[in-house]
Amino acid sequence: MRVATDIGGTFTDVVYIDDNNHFRVGKSNTTPPKFEEGVINSIENCSIDFKQIDTFIHGTTVIINAITERKGVKAGLITTKGFRDVLEIARGNRPHLFNILYKKPSPFIERYLRYEASERVNYKGEILIPLDLNDIDIAVNNFKKEGVEAIAIAFLHSYANIAHEKMASEHVKKLWPEIFVTCSHEITKEWREYERTNTAVINSYVQPIAAKYMDDLEKKLKNKKAKSVNYIMQSNGGVTTFEQGKITPVNMMESGPVAGVYGAKILGDLIGVKNIIALDVGGTTAKCSLIENGEVKVSTDYCIEKTNEYAGYPIKVPVVDIVEIGNGGGSIAWIDDAGSLNVGPRSAGSVPGPIAYNIGGEEPTTTDANLLTGRLSEKNFDFNVDLEKVSNIIYEKIAKPFNVSIEEAALGIIRIANSNMLNALKLISIRRGYDPTEFTLVAYGGGGSMHAMALAKELGIKRVVIPLASPVFSAWGMIMSDLRHDYVSTYVKKTDQINFEEIHNMWSDMERRAKKQFASENILDTKIAFQRFLNMRYSGQEHSVAVPVPLNKWASFEMKDIIQTFHNLHEKQYSFTLNDVVTEIVGMHLTAVGEVNKPIITPEFKTGSPDDAIIEKRKVYFEDDGWTLVPIYNRELIPTNVKLYGPLIVEEKAAVTVVCKDQFVYADEFSNLIIEMVVNKDAK
């Protein structure tokens, strides 16, 4: 049996394959701080026999939570002499030059825990000053006195020569065998001193927590007699083993959300859709990502906690390009000092949760607003809903201050939530030069299907797909994911000075490293697929563009095509080209995917009358038409390829799909719901 679990801010989701090769799903409450208990609960709630699990895949928010809540361990840093303050100096980049609210981030390691070692390597990898191990002795002795639990080692230009970092690490381990040690070259061999140092520091900051969490989870699985091979989801969209996850937990920063994006890509391959905007609306946040021509966007220029007022922290590891905002089902509606209505980013979470849960929540949320407008039914909650309490609180806190009806107040909350999500969708599409009308919106998560149709109308998107198992779709993405590792190396060379033999040897070396890694994970060479990218720029530029390149051995002819592809991509991203300026390579990026056995999805056609799928008729409050009596359908009973015209609602466990007027919905042969605009109203 193949089982995947995904920890969210409110719920822990589970997806598994039964004996008949059918997908089955379940949920349970997330259980902070002992998240592993929620994982075990979600599996037990599905009555899964732990002994039957042979593959277990997990996505977790433990790492990002430890960062955002500043609950990592006390860590120390050893760096090159003269570079103790690189974390403090950081970058001078400011997104808005005259923003007086701008704040520089505070380093994760304070200055008194940062030590220098006498050593120097230049950018070519040549050793100028040998490493002085006496400096390592001094640092370790002081770290012991201070109660440090993890050490990061980041030397200047170690991307070009790892010898000193490796020597320092071995010496630290000899002096202090039980300490956690992170060398920057173990995570990335990409240039940029501050970013590489910060990545190593953050890895050290969370490494003991990640190791303990995975050890505890593994122990609980073994106590339940599970003999599974255990994998963890990475931020690059692939999975890796628990053992590797304990070494480089920084790669699990966006562990859960990226699984949904890759799930959307896999779904697109299945139904023949290449251009996708993936939208995940959970209990706490909404995330979106863009997939162009079947390719998920992955970047090593990732920042956590970055806002207009805050520079955030760079993480120099491959991460799926995601825009995330604090808007979900549990997002709290509130009125600011200027008298404006806001929704989020603060969330009611699973405890005390929305008012509708009736377990202590006293703040109006998006879920409460959807309940009062009839989009959600109190009959489908796992709690004893006190509708009168929900109504009274929204009246007192929202409707009364604005002197509007309760329905208008609830609809106002939904409008603001939609507006916030709309801005996120524009950031991932329009702001980056993409026309959303050329994309299909794949919406999932507990709230994705509820808000997607209104968002699609605003953006002019013609088709929306609500996938099978949409409330737990990120876990579905995990169950369909392969093993993946990324290898990035710095290589600075003008394109008219390239030694093709040298660059070919570098690709071959990276591929050998990948095969060795996969061999340790029992993946055969025949199951490995590679993709190559060059990070390129115009000479003298700061930013670069990732350019896909062929796998074969190149000559000058292929290089001309690669340069032209760079020009095209640069124009798309930045709206201009500099054809007369020399281009140069600054880095090489190899993506290695190890294929694992996955369930085969086969078409299934449901027959019958759509009337048999109607549960009831219920009044729902719409923006233009007010209270409207609409049919409520059971998703599992909707026959295949039968068009149902809105307004209507489709219900399933843990989610509802709202279809507006001038839209129709049908279920395809893979049980996805497809919603499109009615073009010819007479055809209805």
Side-chain angles (χ1 to χ4, degrees), residues 185-209:
H185 76 266
E186 294 172 334
I187 301 171
T188 178
K189 288 188 177 179
E190 209 168 346
W191 67 347
R192 301 197 186 283
E193 190 65 20
Y194 165 58
E195 287 81 356
R196 190 162 45 81
T197 302
N198 192 71
T199 305
V201 163
I202 287 181
N203 194 75
S204 287
Y205 184 72
V206 296
Q207 193 176 14
I209 291 168

Side-chain angles (χ1 to χ4, degrees), residues 90-154:
R91 290 274 172 208
N93 302 351
R94 289 176 62 159
H96 302 285
L97 193 59
F98 301 106
N99 185 348
I100 60 172
L101 299 175
Y102 176 83
K103 277 179 67 179
K104 276 183 73 173
S106 302
F108 279 88
I109 296 178
E110 294 184 55
R111 196 171 193 270
Y112 77 97
L113 291 173
R114 305 198 295 259
Y115 282 81
E116 298 177 345
S118 180
E119 69 87 37
R120 196 60 179 260
V121 173
N122 68 12
Y123 73 98
K124 297 177 182 177
E126 299 164 345
I127 295 174
L128 305 181
I129 301 172
L131 174 64
D132 188 344
L133 292 178
N134 290 325
D135 291 334
I136 307 299
D137 294 338
I138 293 168
V140 169
N141 287 334
N142 284 296
F143 288 152
K144 284 181 177 179
K145 290 175 189 174
E146 293 293 343
V148 163
E149 296 179 55
I151 297 172
I153 300 173

Side-chain angles (χ1 to χ4, degrees), residues 10 283-284 329-332 345-355 361-365:
T10 307
T284 306
S331 293
I332 293 169
R346 197 161 58 91
S347 173
S350 56
V351 179
I355 307 163
E362 297 288 337
E363 301 286 348
T365 66

Side-chain angles (χ1 to χ4, degrees), residues 45 66 167 183 203 215 240 242 289 317 324 348 380 428 452 546 632 650:
N45 289 349
M167 196 186 308
C183 290
N203 194 75
D215 284 340
T240 192
F242 270 30
S289 186
V317 295
E324 184 170 348
N380 293 331
I428 206 73
I632 313 297
V650 180

